[in-house]
């Protein structure tokens, strides 16, 4: 079946440091989405990438879709305590359902 | 615009019992997906309904079932509960494309004793 690996599983950073999470697929994706789940909360949609090599920015967050459309990354510049949570990538790895990656839990120390 | 509403938010059951969870999607959304979230397994896809029809199904046993009503509200049922069914059950509503953006509810946290 489809494998959706995210690395790292956990990341602890000092406030102000950068953070990157990577999402790797065993198959080519038509699109990839990113979600954020705060502790005790529910996943919230952040962005969707569709094109090969696409890069999108949301303030301090930069999302990238690989050229082969098999991997993606989320980079946060100068983390803040409000960035704490688990970041999931998600993609339609099979025909018509959205499968979520294993997630990267980010902890930011002030 | 009201978000996705899930009820109940918390419930405790014992092994062998059954449970029904409810989800009201965002007005105008016709797709409802269900996910099981556990610390060890992450977010696992259960099934997706669109216009009262199950459109996609994950790899869960037949004890897990669902349905969708004409007003797009959805229910999921788990029969003969097992300890391993303890989890956060998340409902997500979407527009038409099952591969599109999902809007999640707060979830129903089920504890099986």
């Amino acid at each position: 079946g489809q494998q959706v690996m995210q690395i790292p599983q956990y990341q602890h950073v000092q406030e102000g440091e950068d953070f990157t999470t990577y999402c790797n697929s065993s198959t080519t994706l038509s699109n990839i989405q990113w979600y954020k789940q705060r502790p005790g909360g529910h996943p919230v949609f952040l962005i969707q990438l569709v094109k090969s090599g696409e890069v999108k920015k949301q303030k301090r967050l930069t999302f990238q879709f690989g050229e082969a459309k098999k991997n993606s990354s989320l980079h946060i510049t100068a983390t803040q305590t409000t960035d704490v949570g688990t970041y999931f990538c998600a993609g339609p790895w099979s025909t018509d359902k959205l499968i979520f990656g294993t997630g990267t839990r980010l902890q930011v120390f002030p | 615009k009201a978000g996705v509403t899930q009820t109940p938010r918390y419930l405790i059951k014992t092994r062998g019992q059954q449970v029904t969870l409810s989800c009201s999607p965002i007005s105008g959304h016709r797709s409802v997906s269900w996910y099981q979230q556990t610390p060890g397994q992450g977010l696992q896809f259960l099934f997706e309904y669109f216009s009262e029809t199950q459109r996609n199904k994950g790899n869960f046993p037949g004890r897990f079932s669902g349905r969708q009503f004409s007003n797009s509200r959805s229910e999921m049922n788990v029969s003969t509960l097992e300890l391993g069914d303890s989890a956060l059950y998340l409902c997500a509503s979407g527009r038409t494309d099952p591969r599109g953006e999902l809007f999640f509810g707060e979830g129903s946290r089920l504890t099986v004793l």
Side-chain angles (χ1 to χ4, degrees):
Chain A
Q2 294 80 26
Q3 293 290 323
V4 186
M5 301 304 297
Q6 274 186 258
I7 53 172
Q9 191 175 6
Y10 302 100
Q11 184 82 58
H12 297 173
V13 300
Q14 200 77 34
E15 190 172 21
E17 291 182 336
D18 292 357
F19 158 78
T20 304
T21 173
Y22 300 90
C23 181
N24 297 301
S25 167
S26 55
T27 57
T28 302
L29 312 168
S30 60
N31 73 69
I32 194 158
Q33 301 173 26
W34 286 91
Y35 291 76
K36 175 184 178 181
Q37 184 174 21
R38 295 181 187 274
H42 57 278
V44 174
F45 174 82
L46 293 175
I47 207 161
Q48 175 172 285
L49 305 170
V50 179
K51 300 175 185 175
S52 167
E54 188 171 14
V55 177
K56 285 189 176 180
K57 292 191 176 185
Q58 288 180 350
K59 297 182 180 177
R60 295 178 295 103
L61 277 60
T62 301
F63 304 84
Q64 194 162 2
F65 202 5
E67 292 291 342
K69 301 183 77 172
K70 285 188 174 183
N71 55 71
S72 181
S73 65
L74 157 59
H75 178 82
I76 303 178
T77 304
T79 55
Q80 299 174 0
T81 53
T82 53
D83 296 324
V84 165
T86 301
Y87 292 84
F88 293 96
C89 63
W93 266 267
S94 64
T95 50
D96 288 316
K97 56 190 179 188
L98 211 57
I99 303 299
F100 281 75
T102 48
T104 296
R105 192 161 83 189
L106 173 65
Q107 181 63 261
V108 180
F109 295 106
Chain B
K1 201 176 197 182
V4 179
T5 304
Q6 288 190 248
T7 57
R9 291 290 314 281
Y10 303 91
L11 63 167
I12 300 174
K13 294 285 187 178
T14 55
R15 278 180 299 175
Q17 287 187 311
Q18 75 162 14
V19 66
T20 299
L21 309 177
S22 179
C23 172
S24 293
I26 291 171
S27 177
H29 286 191
R30 294 162 62 191
S31 168
V32 174
S33 300
W34 288 90
Y35 289 83
Q36 181 196 64
Q37 186 172 34
T38 58
Q41 297 296 318
L43 275 160
Q44 298 290 315
F45 175 80
L46 281 156
F47 27 65
E48 185 241 351
Y49 287 86
F50 181 81
S51 293
E52 301 179 67
T53 301
Q54 187 181 82
R55 194 160 57 171
N56 290 291
K57 190 176 186 302
N59 297 322
F60 278 81
R63 300 185 297 107
F64 292 81
S65 63
R67 59 178 176 168
Q68 187 180 33
F69 303 95
S70 58
N71 61 358
S72 293
R73 189 178 70 86
S74 177
E75 287 182 348
M76 70 161 280
N77 184 276
V78 188
S79 62
T80 320
L81 284 166
E82 300 176 359
L83 295 178
D85 296 333
S86 294
L88 180 66
Y89 289 88
L90 290 159
C91 163
S93 86
R95 297 183 180 92
T96 304
D97 188 344
R99 301 161 297 177
E101 173 187 355
L102 294 180
F103 300 82
F104 283 86
E106 301 278 352
S108 293
R109 183 164 296 282
L110 169 66
T111 302
V112 182
L113 302 176

